[in-house]
Amino acid sequence: MANPFLLATALLVVAGNALAAETAPRASVIEADPQVTQAPLTPEADGFIDPLRELKFNPGLDQREFERSTLEALNVYDPLESVNRRIYHFNYRLDQWVLLPLVSGYQYVTPSFVRTGVSNFFNNLGDVPNLFNSVLQLKAKRSAEITARLMFNTIIGVGGLWDPATSMGLPRQSEDFGQTLGFYGVPEGPYLMLPVLGPSNLRDTTGLVVDYAGEQAVNYLNVAEASENHPEIFALRVVDKRYTTKFRYGQLNSPFEYEKVRYVYTQARKLQIAE
């Protein structure tokens, strides 16, 4: 009877020779074909290999087609686009020549704690329409939180100059009548670019009017009535609003900034309504 170990060894030798005979011609073909052979990538000075340096771009790519497809993805219902673009340009110049210089002067003449107190005060006033719309949207928990914020910030925070509610776990939550209309299924309507105020749509513009009227009717802390006799209060609120708004025209550094702002605003409002 044959030794099993010797038999297995013989089979391995035969298989190895057959495999070598099969692969040897292929290797010679590959080595002989310069189109298949690729030089190994050599490391850069920092020791890393940069595979992108071998990347070849298609010179026949139609850039205009690429831009067109990108803009279609950012499409928003904007039948008044020509007018909206003019208003967008007006807002850009107004921001550059008037509002931002005012903000810079405001920052120069007031210390940071004063600016924080002013922002807290106007945010406290803004919690009144926040509460109103939260109740209309049947958000019981959020309504209770906003009510608690108003009480703590008005009483403990000296009329809202200080914001103890946030440190107590009650952060500010924004609700407006535009969101309320969206909550009940009212469509957004055409996109609008409002003078000074910026991006909006027909539904949200209606919401702005209702929120403003409600704030005037409530006259919380008598600020609405006082603003009629002291327009500087309204002016301070405008400057504070621009001071706390981080957006800057031209910051996207894109010729399609109008389209991008329009798209981002529209999607952001959808997310706010869905909360």
Side-chain angles (χ1 to χ4, degrees):
M1 183 175 181
N3 191 325
F5 177 75
L6 294 177
L7 181 59
T9 302
L11 289 175
L12 288 174
V13 171
V14 172
N17 291 335
L19 181 61
E22 182 180 357
T23 57
R26 294 181 183 178
S28 62
V29 171
I30 294 176
E31 292 174 359
D33 189 355
Q35 295 182 351
V36 178
T37 304
Q38 293 182 351
L41 293 175
T42 56
E44 302 291 339
D46 57 3
F48 292 93
I49 293 177
D50 181 15
L52 295 181
R53 69 183 179 185
E54 301 296 330
L55 187 62
K56 304 296 183 183
F57 291 95
N58 182 5
L61 178 64
D62 190 342
Q63 184 67 20
R64 290 174 298 177
E65 189 66 27
F66 172 77
E67 293 175 354
R68 188 181 302 113
S69 61
T70 302
L71 292 178
E72 288 177 358
L74 301 179
N75 189 35
V76 172
Y77 180 54
D78 188 5
L80 302 175
E81 182 173 350
S82 60
V83 177
N84 286 334
R85 283 183 177 275
R86 293 190 183 97
I87 297 175
Y88 188 88
H89 183 73
F90 167 79
N91 288 348
Y92 171 77
R93 295 304 180 190
L94 179 69
D95 198 56
Q96 185 180 38
W97 295 341
V98 179
L99 295 180
L100 289 182
L102 284 175
V103 169
S104 297
Y106 175 63
Q107 291 177 284
Y108 181 78
V109 300
T110 58
S112 60
F113 74 90
V114 172
R115 297 194 298 270
T116 300
V118 170
S119 297
N120 289 339
F121 178 77
F122 288 125
N123 284 341
N124 191 50
L125 295 180
D127 275 338
V128 174
N130 287 346
L131 175 59
F132 173 71
N133 286 290
S134 184
V135 171
L136 288 179
Q137 295 175 48
L138 308 178
K139 297 179 178 179
K141 180 181 178 182
R142 180 165 295 188
S143 299
E145 291 174 348
I146 297 175
T147 301
R149 271 187 60 86
L150 272 169
M151 293 178 59
F152 289 137
N153 288 348
T154 301
I155 299 173
I156 303 176
V158 192
L161 294 175
W162 178 42
D163 182 13
T166 297
S167 59
M168 297 169 67
L170 296 170
R172 187 169 188 266
Q173 304 183 67
S174 178
E175 298 285 350
D176 56 65
F177 196 70
Q179 290 174 246
T180 300
L181 293 175
F183 177 81
Y184 287 103
V186 177
E188 60 193 27
Y191 178 79
L192 298 175
M193 179 60 62
L194 302 180
V196 184
L197 299 178
S200 184
N201 54 50
L202 184 58
R203 180 192 62 207
D204 292 345
T205 301
T206 303
L208 283 174
V209 174
V210 173
D211 286 336
Y212 178 78
E215 192 172 317
Q216 295 297 307
V218 173
N219 192 26
Y220 190 60
L221 299 179
N222 201 39
V223 173
E225 184 177 345
S227 298
E228 295 179 358
N229 301 321
H230 298 278
E232 61 271 17
I233 297 177
F234 177 78
L236 179 60
R237 190 168 191 175
V238 171
V239 173
D240 173 72
K241 182 65 176 178
R242 190 63 189 96
Y243 167 69
T244 56
T245 301
K246 303 304 179 183
F247 173 77
R248 295 292 184 269
Y249 288 96
Q251 70 179 19
L252 299 180
N253 193 27
S254 168
F256 307 112
E257 180 176 277
Y258 174 85
E259 289 84 359
K260 291 181 178 180
V261 170
R262 179 180 63 186
Y263 176 79
V264 169
Y265 172 81
T266 302
Q267 296 303 315
R269 292 297 288 173
K270 290 179 180 179
L271 292 175
Q272 288 175 333
I273 292 170
E275 285 183 350

